[in-house]
Amino acid sequence: FPHCKVEVFSDILAVCHALYGTESGYAGILGTGSVGCFYNGKEIVEIAPSLGYLLGDEGSGFYLGKLFLQDYLKGLWSDHIRNAFEKEFECNRNMVVRKIYRDGNPQHWISSIAPFIEKMEGSEEIQSLILLNFDLFFEHQLSYLKNGASLWRISGSIGFHFAPFVLKSAQKHGILIDKIIKSPLEKIIEQNKI
């Protein structure tokens, strides 16, 4: 294709296109990782540093798994939650420590705990954990994005599957969310149909 012009942009911009098209607003990604930004209808003009999975990613599937494991390793979960976790993941405390500190890629395993947490969301203990994850996300975003970030739209599997908790946490922080989508791809294809 010698006469083609190719442009490459970040996945965050794709999410903004899917959520807003040519409108402006705050966008958040709540998936395996997390990030928030302000989009002016053409480009991202403000972005909160996510710091990646080691130092940040509050609100993400990884962070949710990390919070769960912190309480698991400290022995804070009820027997019901602990036993269900150990049965589903065929593990015990020593195996979990090994997976985290000796395996080469612990972030995938830690992120894989999110579906288990979703299954257990009827428990008040788990509900508190989920809300803490999203509270930390919005607190982090609001400390960086200071332009009256009252309306947001969210994309990502964690935001989608835990939508009631995202909405509750957002409301607590004075944020209205009017759209949550699982994946931006369908919206982008729909917007670009000829």
Side-chain angles (χ1 to χ4, degrees), residues 54-73:
L54 280 178
L55 299 176
D57 271 352
E58 297 87 348
S60 70
F62 173 82
Y63 206 86
L64 185 60
K66 181 172 116 173
L67 290 172
F68 179 88
L69 289 176
Q70 286 173 345
D71 286 354
Y72 171 76
L73 292 172

Side-chain angles (χ1 to χ4, degrees), residues 47-181:
I47 189 165
S50 93
L51 305 180
Y53 76 94
L54 280 178
L55 299 176
D57 271 352
E58 297 87 348
S60 70
F62 173 82
Y63 206 86
L64 185 60
K66 181 172 116 173
L67 290 172
F68 179 88
L69 289 176
Q70 286 173 345
D71 286 354
Y72 171 76
L73 292 172
K74 292 173 185 173
L76 299 177
W77 289 116
S78 65
D79 289 345
H80 169 69
I81 302 286
R82 181 180 44 77
N83 291 336
F85 172 70
E86 289 176 348
K87 182 178 179 186
E88 177 143 339
F89 286 87
E90 299 177 349
C91 67
N92 59 38
R93 188 181 188 286
N94 291 334
M95 293 166 74
V96 167
V97 169
R98 239 185 346 266
K99 278 196 160 301
I100 294 169
Y101 293 104
R102 294 199 181 136
D103 284 0
N105 199 8
Q107 65 267 35
H108 283 315
W109 184 74
I110 293 171
S111 296
S112 76
I113 297 169
F116 166 78
I117 293 170
E118 183 183 13
K119 280 196 275 188
M120 304 298 287
E121 72 181 28
S123 157
E124 285 184 23
E125 292 173 277
I126 293 290
Q127 290 173 12
S128 294
L129 179 85
I130 297 167
L131 283 171
L132 172 62
N133 188 40
F134 298 126
D135 285 347
L136 291 171
F137 172 76
F138 287 116
E139 288 165 16
H140 174 77
Q141 300 305 308
L142 292 175
S143 71
Y144 284 98
L145 305 172
K146 304 199 186 275
N147 291 331
S150 59
L151 177 65
W152 280 67
R153 293 181 180 169
I154 303 291
S155 176
S157 60
I158 295 299
F160 183 82
H161 287 288
F162 293 99
F165 298 96
V166 173
L167 295 171
K168 185 173 183 179
S169 178
Q171 183 179 23
K172 180 175 155 182
H173 290 87
I175 294 170
L176 172 66
I177 295 177
D178 70 346
K179 185 185 287 187
I180 299 177
I181 62 173

